[in-house]
């Protein structure tokens, strides 16, 4: 079988472009302390996607997260300037009025800060669930017009 020069060059360029796109795609995985739950987060030029797995089974397919602020500003993780930090907590909370005397607060956390834009998202993986929370570094108040959580 014969391949012409233009097809060969196209195949090589296509292969190289795939490597470039793969390098730009960042995926952050966060697993709960007992390994029961896992969150997969992909920020970048296509926006912010997250997925959720329980005992290895897909529960939430990669889905978009975004906040639309009054005035039109969109917080959607559409940035390549990302600072990621991780931490773990394992502490006991003594509640005042609750059905139990103690609450065991144990989780792993991933914080993605979109530094240039001044906002971020905190993801937490517990053994009995997952959570996320948006935050900003602004001093003034914000009004959220809508939230996208597909």
């Amino acid at each position: 079988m014969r391949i012409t020069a233009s097809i060969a060059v196209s195949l090589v360029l296509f292969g190289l472009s795939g490597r470039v796109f793969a390098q730009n795609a960042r995926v952050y995985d966060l697993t709960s302390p007992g390994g029961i739950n896992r969150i997969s987060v992909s920020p970048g030029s296509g926006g912010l996607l997250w997925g959720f797995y329980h005992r290895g089974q897909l529960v939430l397919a990669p889905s978009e997260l975004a906040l639309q602020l009054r005035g039109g500003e969109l917080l959607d993780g559409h940035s390549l300037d990302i600072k990621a930090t991780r931490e773990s907590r394992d502490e006991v909370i003594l509640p005042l009025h609750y059905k139990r005397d103690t609450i065991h607060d144990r989780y792993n956390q991933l914080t993605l800060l979109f530094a240039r834009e001044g906002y971020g998202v905190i993801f937490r993986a517990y053994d009995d669930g997952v959570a996320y929370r948006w935050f900003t570094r602004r001093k003034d108040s914000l009004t959220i017009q809508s939230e996208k959580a597909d």
Side-chain angles (χ1 to χ4, degrees):
M1 184 174 183
R2 237 169 124 165
I3 299 177
T4 64
S6 63
I7 293 174
V9 170
S10 297
L11 290 173
V12 169
L13 290 176
F14 179 74
L16 291 175
S17 67
R19 286 188 191 146
V20 170
F21 290 128
Q23 289 173 355
N24 288 336
R26 296 182 195 171
V27 177
Y28 299 93
D29 284 327
L30 178 67
T31 305
S32 65
I36 296 169
N37 294 313
R38 181 173 61 88
I39 300 171
S40 182
V41 183
S42 302
S45 59
L48 183 63
L49 299 174
W50 81 304
F52 167 46
Y53 301 83
H54 178 74
R55 297 190 189 278
Q57 183 176 351
L58 181 65
V59 174
L60 175 69
S63 305
E64 289 184 64
L65 282 182
L67 283 182
Q68 177 79 46
L69 303 181
R70 186 173 62 190
E73 185 179 358
L74 187 64
L75 311 183
D76 66 351
H78 190 92
S79 174
L80 296 177
D81 182 22
I82 303 165
K83 180 181 177 192
T85 57
R86 295 175 183 271
E87 70 178 84
S88 296
R89 286 275 168 87
D90 189 356
E91 58 191 16
V92 175
I93 299 171
L94 303 173
L96 293 176
H97 302 287
Y98 192 63
K99 60 185 174 183
R100 290 188 275 168
D101 293 335
T102 61
I103 300 170
H104 195 184
D105 193 27
R106 183 175 173 225
Y107 60 86
N108 290 329
Q109 178 173 297
L110 169 67
T111 302
L112 297 180
L113 174 63
F114 304 99
R116 203 175 299 150
E117 292 82 2
Y119 69 89
V121 186
I122 297 171
F123 294 92
R124 286 188 180 171
Y126 299 86
D127 285 332
D128 56 356
V130 298
Y132 71 88
R133 177 173 53 112
W134 292 92
F135 69 92
T136 71
R137 293 196 163 174
R138 300 177 188 179
K139 302 292 183 205
D140 56 340
S141 63
L142 303 173
T143 302
I144 297 171
Q145 183 174 323
S146 65
E147 178 178 16
K148 185 173 192 172
D150 291 341

